[in-house]
Amino acid sequence: MASSLKKAIRPIHLWAISVGLVISGEYFGWNYGWGVAGTIGFLLATIIITVLYITFIFSFTELTTAIPQAGGPFSYAQRALGPTGGLIAGYATLVEFLLATPAIALALGNYLHFLHPAIPVLWSAITVYILLTGVNLLGIKESASFTLLFTLLAVVELLVYLGIVAPHFQMANFLKDALPFGYSGVFAALPFAIWLYVCIEGVAMVAEEVKNPARNIPIGYISGILTLVLLAIAVMVFTGGITNWQRLSAIDYPLPEAIGIVLGKDNSITKIFAGIGLFGLIASFNGIIISYSRQIFALAREGYLPAILAMISSKRQTPYVALLVGAFAGIIALLIGRTDQLVILSVLGAIVMYVISMISLFILRKKEPQLERPFKVPFYPLFPIIALGLSLISLVAIIYYNVWLSVIFFVGLLAVWISYALVQKRKVKYGL
């Protein structure tokens, strides 16, 4: 077996991975925020979260370039906070990425069902899981190139979508019953606003496979977040102004439905759009598979997970066991979870990881001032303070409005921590 990952990723691949990881969030999931906040309430939530992500990504890039390891947040937290910090960050990151993929898979299934009602949602989702896992088994260069192609197609498609719906935008539609639950709805909508950007930090998980990471990682992150901010605001605003937004607030295919409202469901352009709408979902799906497999690999390499999960293919230099196990876990989640539940749990994992990462940034600045930092966060300590503060506000809001899902998340964390502690105790006892 090979012992290291292959360095094959260039700046254009990093842009594609960073945008591709997230771009499915423009296609579905965010619209559930309308259902709890209305259009203006969700716009306010999105502005808050956009500030969070801009400050977070600039801060996170410092960590990624200083410690370019496949573990990403887990590696930073372990270095700053010790084994327990690493465990919390690793668990949160796995929840984020492992549950984002089945949410996207369900949306893929619903898009296909929208195109051809005879296609079953669940089985098509499982089929895509298997196919894209196979693509990733071919190697990181092949997988990154695949993501690049589908990300470019997805961005072009969103621009075409905006060109179609923008002429039909009416401010009266966007402002009708725009804040139905008052300002409390803004906080309830935060997890769905986070869905517009969540997983972009997955670029950190391929850091070991990047050529010249000190130069290329900042390019990938910053160009990616700017692309996503522009697309997110535009898609959300223009879609909310073409009809009664409540028609689109509880479905997994809001963009094809919106095109259908504008042009008619039987229009050939509507069918074509729904078909190529799969590009964005596939780009995110594939990018997140890359990320969760590297996270599993890194956790296993450090002894947090069984060592077999750190095995690398000698020919392709891919963590093939981690890829297969991650796919199995995602398919199980497909069978037992709903899209909105999976979105909230994924976002909860992300926010916990953001909090741990920003704390790690402050500790490492103090603990290791001589650590080489090829990229330093601008306006330190303001940017990481803003990112940490908004992350904590988001965490409180998610827990308050989703108590039982939060209980599931934290009980899982407790179970993982107890299991890890028992294993470590056994190793000490028997000198393993």
Side-chain angles (χ1 to χ4, degrees):
M1 294 295 170
S3 58
S4 62
L5 299 167
K6 182 179 181 180
K7 289 187 178 292
I9 298 179
R10 300 178 182 275
I12 187 66
H13 296 124
L14 284 171
W15 172 84
I17 291 171
S18 63
V19 174
L21 279 163
V22 183
I23 201 165
S24 64
E26 325 288 346
Y27 285 81
F28 84 103
W30 60 269
N31 53 304
Y32 288 103
W34 281 348
V36 297
T39 48
I40 292 297
F42 187 60
L43 178 59
L44 292 173
T46 301
I47 291 170
I48 292 169
I49 295 305
T50 298
V51 174
L52 162 59
Y53 270 89
I54 289 173
T55 54
F56 171 77
I57 286 302
F58 274 99
S59 304
F60 197 70
T61 301
E62 176 176 312
L63 292 168
T64 307
T65 52
I67 310 170
Q69 296 179 12
F74 149 73
S75 298
Y76 321 146
Q78 184 187 49
R79 188 157 175 166
L81 299 164
T84 300
L87 179 71
I88 295 171
Y91 170 81
T93 306
L94 276 183
V95 169
E96 175 190 0
F97 286 90
L98 285 176
L99 295 187
T101 25
I104 296 168
L106 285 171
L108 270 163
N110 276 293
Y111 264 64
L112 290 169
H113 185 72
F114 176 86
L115 281 170
H116 303 287
I119 297 177
V121 173
L122 183 61
W123 283 108
S124 57
I126 292 172
T127 300
V128 175
Y129 240 116
I130 294 169
L131 291 175
L132 291 184
T133 299
V135 169
N136 277 270
L137 289 169
L138 294 176
I140 186 61
K141 184 177 181 180
E142 291 78 5
S143 183
S145 298
F146 181 91
T147 298
L148 172 60
L149 172 63
F150 276 82
T151 298
L152 288 170
L153 291 171
V155 171
V156 169
E157 184 191 17
L158 285 178
L159 294 175
V160 171
Y161 168 79
L162 292 170
I164 292 171
V165 301
H168 300 270
F169 175 84
Q170 295 182 23
M171 186 59 74
N173 287 333
F174 189 79
L175 295 179
K176 185 178 180 181
D177 199 20
L179 202 65
F181 306 106
Y183 288 102
S184 63
V186 175
F187 294 97
L190 289 177
F192 301 107
I194 292 168
W195 186 250
L196 288 166
Y197 303 110
V198 76
C199 294
I200 187 173
E201 67 279 2
V203 170
M205 265 67 95
V206 298
E208 286 186 33
E209 296 159 278
V210 175
K211 293 183 175 181
N212 192 3
R215 173 184 176 274
N216 293 336
I217 288 174
I219 294 173
Y221 265 140
I222 295 167
S223 61
I225 192 66
L226 292 176
T227 302
L228 291 164
V229 167
L230 293 174
L231 290 174
I233 300 295
V235 168
M236 185 238 306
V237 170
F238 283 115
T239 303
I242 62 167
T243 185
N244 181 347
W245 54 264
Q246 292 170 332
R247 293 176 60 181
L248 305 172
S249 64
I251 57 176
D252 281 351
Y253 46 93
L255 302 198
E257 187 71 15
I259 290 282
I261 290 168
V262 169
L263 300 178
K265 287 192 176 182
D266 295 328
N267 189 293
S268 58
I269 295 177
T270 302
K271 294 293 185 182
I272 292 170
F273 181 87
I276 62 177
L278 298 173
F279 294 152
L281 300 175
I282 291 171
S284 288
F285 203 138
N286 195 67
I288 295 173
I289 288 176
I290 295 173
S291 297
Y292 74 56
S293 62
R294 272 57 182 179
Q295 183 70 182
I296 293 171
F297 162 80
L299 287 167
R301 185 172 60 181
E302 295 297 322
Y304 287 88
L305 291 174
I308 190 173
L309 295 171
M311 294 179 69
I312 297 175
S313 160
S314 57
K315 183 177 181 181
R316 300 289 182 177
Q317 291 178 262
T318 56
Y320 68 99
V321 180
L323 281 164
L324 295 173
V325 170
F328 177 76
I331 291 171
I332 295 299
L334 269 178
L335 298 173
I336 62 177
R338 296 198 320 260
T339 302
D340 57 340
Q341 294 172 334
L342 294 169
V343 166
I344 290 167
L345 281 169
S346 175
V347 165
L348 181 55
I351 288 297
V352 170
M353 184 270 284
Y354 299 165
V355 170
I356 294 292
S357 295
M358 291 302 95
I359 292 172
S360 298
L361 174 61
F362 287 117
I363 289 175
L364 287 171
R365 276 284 187 119
K366 186 175 181 179
K367 183 179 175 182
E368 298 188 42
Q370 303 307 315
L371 176 66
E372 184 179 354
R373 293 173 170 86
F375 178 91
K376 287 190 175 183
V377 56
F379 307 112
Y380 181 88
L382 182 60
F383 269 27
I385 286 174
I386 293 172
L388 178 59
L390 291 177
S391 295
L392 289 170
I393 291 170
S394 300
L395 180 60
V396 171
I398 293 169
I399 293 171
Y400 180 81
Y401 287 100
N402 304 277
V403 174
W404 285 111
L405 289 174
S406 300
V407 168
I408 291 170
F409 176 88
F410 287 107
V411 167
L413 174 58
L414 179 62
V416 168
W417 181 79
I418 291 172
S419 299
Y420 174 74
L422 290 174
V423 169
Q424 293 304 113
K425 185 177 180 180
R426 183 174 180 274
K427 286 182 177 179
V428 171
K429 182 177 180 180
Y430 294 102
L432 299 176

